[in-house]
Amino acid sequence: MQLLRSFLLTSRFFLALAALVIGLTVAFFLPGWLVPLQLALGLLALLTLLDAVLLYGTGGGVFGRRVLGDKLANGSDNDVALYLENRYRFPLQTQTIDEVPHQFQRRDVLFRAAVQPGETSVIRYQLRPTKRGEYEFGALNVYVASPLGLVRRRFRFDENRVVPVYPSFLQMRQYELLAASNRLTEVGVKRIRRVGQSLEFDQIRPYVPGDDPRRINWKATARRTTTPEAADALAVNHYQDERAQQVYCLIDKGRVMRMPFEGLSLLDYAINATLVVSNIALRKHDKAGLITFSHQPGTLVPADRRSGQLRQLLEVLYRQKTKYLETDYERLYLTVRHQIRQRSLLIMFTNFETLYGMQRQLPYLRRLAKSHLLLVVFFENTELSAYLNAPATTTQEVYNQTVAEKFAQEKRQIVRELNQYGIHALLTAPQNLTANTINKYLEFKARGLI
């Protein structure tokens, strides 16, 4: 039974058989063709039998396996590699079907490759998940055919595996590598000149040309030994950027974050950006923390910069689920008031579609801004922006663009009104969320606002 399940006839066999059937039909009227066609039919049967012997009776085979990471990154292109090893003594034409998780809804995961005897072929492709959670991969099916191409044998490799999809750690690593090589400008992060000071004393060291004369420590200079080498040496105070400042990302899990963009919800964009910003904050020697909120208090991760903090944030972000109900900002304010005692930078990821919707929550935002540096991040409606840029040719289109402009103008009005009350606001497109948020964080650091 297992043999029959793996045995398939190819389209080449059926084409040849169809041609012979047509020929035999014509031979009914042309008797001279009958014998050659009968011989051809016998030859086809003989070649098919020979092809089956080559694939099943020569002791060869094919080995296949799927290689991918222990987890996938949500919203990013994840690499998958398929390895096919030809253990026959003749070249193979292969067709490989990988049973990817149903969440991808892909029907094009079929790959053709020619594999020489004794060699291994590598097939690479990418998968882009758009939801966090567990994804189940099925078997790896490899169909092989000999040079005759009349019979195809199926090899099925039990590669069943459940792989979790986490917030985009690939995006986080990309920003980390670019930051290490001073190339963040390639992804939209600006170079920001320091315009203020937020410094703490580090040490006293000898003066070198270029040091600020105002930082000369005259008492320390006077205490230095009057040796010939140190007689004219000055001592200066050395300062470094103030460290261990608290940075909290506040993620709204309410219904306003359900809107999709390129397959991902705004909530998942906020979660991916939170992971990157937290990593950047830790690299800047700040403390990173997390608060999620919706109709009831969510998860709280106290700000810290210990070695396992980023791993804890990743695990907490992975487990976030929501019913997309109306958000309760009053409970958020009470949570922050009782749990965060030190002045911190609060980066709130939410979405306001109307000015009235923001004004309903404004009293709680103002209270948060009294004790902390508050940055409210919300999203542009990119579909409206594309609609506004399209030419209007009919009265209906002009009317629709007028309504769209009203909504776009209301978003800009929200930014202005928040700024009036000393609340920093960032209106951004979802695809630019991470870079724009990092720019704001670095700007606050440069200006010494935290």
Side-chain angles (χ1 to χ4, degrees):
M1 184 61 67
Q2 188 69 25
L3 178 66
L4 293 177
R5 288 179 179 177
S6 66
F7 182 87
L8 299 102
L9 296 172
T10 67
S11 56
R12 179 181 297 182
F13 171 83
F14 288 107
L15 287 174
L17 183 61
L20 289 174
V21 169
I22 294 173
L24 290 171
T25 304
V26 174
F28 180 79
F29 303 99
L30 301 174
W33 289 16
L34 183 59
V35 174
L37 288 172
Q38 289 175 338
L39 293 175
L41 183 60
L43 179 61
L44 176 61
L46 183 62
L47 291 176
T48 303
L49 179 62
L50 176 61
D51 205 357
V53 170
L54 288 174
L55 293 176
Y56 287 90
T58 58
V62 170
F63 174 74
R65 64 189 177 100
R66 179 198 305 118
V67 177
L68 70 162
D70 295 331
K71 54 183 177 291
L72 302 180
N74 191 26
S76 298
D77 291 327
N78 298 263
D79 293 327
V80 181
L82 306 178
Y83 288 83
L84 306 179
E85 180 184 352
N86 181 4
R87 296 176 177 176
Y88 286 105
R89 297 181 179 179
F90 49 85
L92 293 176
Q93 294 295 326
T94 66
Q95 294 183 6
T96 305
I97 299 177
D98 194 6
E99 296 179 0
V100 301
H102 66 87
Q103 290 94 331
F104 292 107
Q105 292 296 302
R106 289 186 58 172
R107 301 293 183 269
D108 60 342
V109 195
L110 186 150
F111 308 98
R112 293 179 170 84
V115 188
Q116 297 301 316
E119 294 186 357
T120 300
S121 176
V122 183
I123 300 171
R124 302 182 188 276
Y125 69 100
Q126 293 181 325
L127 294 174
R128 181 180 181 268
T130 55
K131 290 183 180 179
R132 286 167 290 116
E134 292 185 342
Y135 285 51
E136 184 176 356
F137 284 81
L140 181 64
N141 300 277
V142 183
Y143 299 86
V144 302
S146 73
L148 292 176
L150 297 174
V151 173
R152 183 173 290 121
R153 180 180 179 182
R154 184 183 73 171
F155 291 88
R156 184 177 176 87
F157 301 97
D158 190 12
E159 292 286 312
N160 295 336
R161 181 179 174 187
V162 176
V163 181
V165 173
Y166 275 74
S168 186
F169 53 88
L170 293 180
Q171 185 187 49
M172 180 195 71
R173 291 173 184 169
Q174 176 191 11
Y175 277 85
E176 186 175 1
L177 290 172
L178 292 175
S181 57
N182 250 345
R183 295 164 50 205
L184 280 174
T185 53
E186 296 180 8
V187 288
V189 178
K190 304 175 184 176
R191 295 183 182 274
I192 299 177
R193 181 174 59 89
R194 180 176 294 277
V195 294
Q197 287 191 348
S198 179
L199 306 174
E200 59 183 9
F201 177 78
D202 182 28
Q203 62 178 340
I204 297 175
R205 60 170 176 78
Y207 175 87
V208 296
D211 283 338
D212 189 347
R214 293 175 294 181
R215 295 184 178 177
I216 295 176
N217 189 323
W218 295 107
K219 291 184 179 180
T221 300
R223 289 195 297 266
R224 297 177 67 88
T225 56
T226 56
T227 60
E229 294 80 5
D232 299 326
L234 300 175
V236 296
N237 295 329
H238 180 255
Y239 298 88
Q240 64 181 5
D241 289 344
E242 186 177 344
R243 299 181 176 186
Q245 298 165 325
Q246 294 191 154
V247 179
Y248 276 90
C249 290
L250 280 55
I251 301 179
D252 185 353
K253 299 192 299 180
R255 62 178 180 82
V256 296
M257 299 291 282
R258 193 170 186 174
M259 183 182 297
F261 177 79
E262 293 186 354
L264 267 70
S265 66
L266 296 184
L267 174 62
D268 279 308
Y269 276 102
I271 287 175
N272 288 344
T274 294
L275 186 63
V276 178
V277 172
S278 298
N279 187 39
I280 294 293
L282 293 172
R283 290 178 60 84
K284 291 288 184 180
H285 306 286
D286 284 336
K287 298 179 180 179
L290 171 69
I291 295 178
T292 64
F293 63 99
S294 58
H295 62 290
Q296 58 187 9
T299 306
L300 169 65
V301 179
D304 206 333
R305 57 180 303 266
R306 62 181 187 273
S307 59
Q309 183 72 358
L310 192 63
R311 165 61 62 179
Q312 182 181 2
L313 290 172
L314 179 62
E315 292 295 335
V316 170
L317 290 170
Y318 167 70
R319 294 194 300 267
Q320 292 308 304
K321 295 181 180 180
T322 178
K323 295 181 179 179
Y324 293 111
L325 300 177
E326 187 71 25
T327 301
D328 190 340
Y329 279 80
E330 182 178 7
R331 291 191 177 186
L332 169 66
Y333 166 69
L334 294 175
T335 299
V336 173
R337 179 181 177 182
H338 291 111
Q339 299 293 337
I340 306 179
R341 301 294 184 180
Q342 177 184 337
R343 175 177 168 83
S344 307
L345 169 61
L346 306 181
I347 304 176
M348 179 185 294
F349 296 98
T350 185
N351 197 31
F352 296 118
E353 285 297 329
T354 63
L355 182 61
Y356 173 71
M358 184 278 296
Q359 289 174 339
R360 287 174 53 203
Q361 315 302 340
L362 186 58
Y364 308 110
L365 298 178
R366 293 180 64 183
R367 292 177 193 176
L368 289 173
K370 284 183 180 180
S371 304
H372 304 277
L373 178 63
L374 177 61
L375 171 64
V376 178
V377 183
F378 60 108
F379 298 89
E380 294 178 2
N381 191 326
T382 53
E383 291 186 2
L384 282 182
S385 301
Y387 193 82
L388 286 171
N389 294 329
T393 57
T394 64
T395 304
Q396 181 66 35
E397 290 176 349
V398 172
Y399 174 78
N400 291 339
Q401 284 195 348
T402 303
V403 175
E405 177 59 34
K406 174 183 177 298
F407 282 108
Q409 176 62 28
E410 201 159 0
K411 289 268 189 178
R412 295 190 289 269
Q413 181 61 32
I414 292 173
V415 174
R416 288 192 290 267
E417 187 151 342
L418 287 172
N419 290 336
Q420 286 178 0
Y421 292 100
I423 301 171
H424 297 271
L426 173 61
L427 176 62
T428 178
Q431 68 269 28
N432 301 326
L433 172 64
T434 300
N436 289 340
T437 306
I438 293 175
N439 281 330
K440 277 293 183 181
Y441 164 70
L442 296 178
E443 178 188 339
F444 293 157
K445 290 284 288 183
R447 294 169 59 187
L449 297 181
I450 305 178

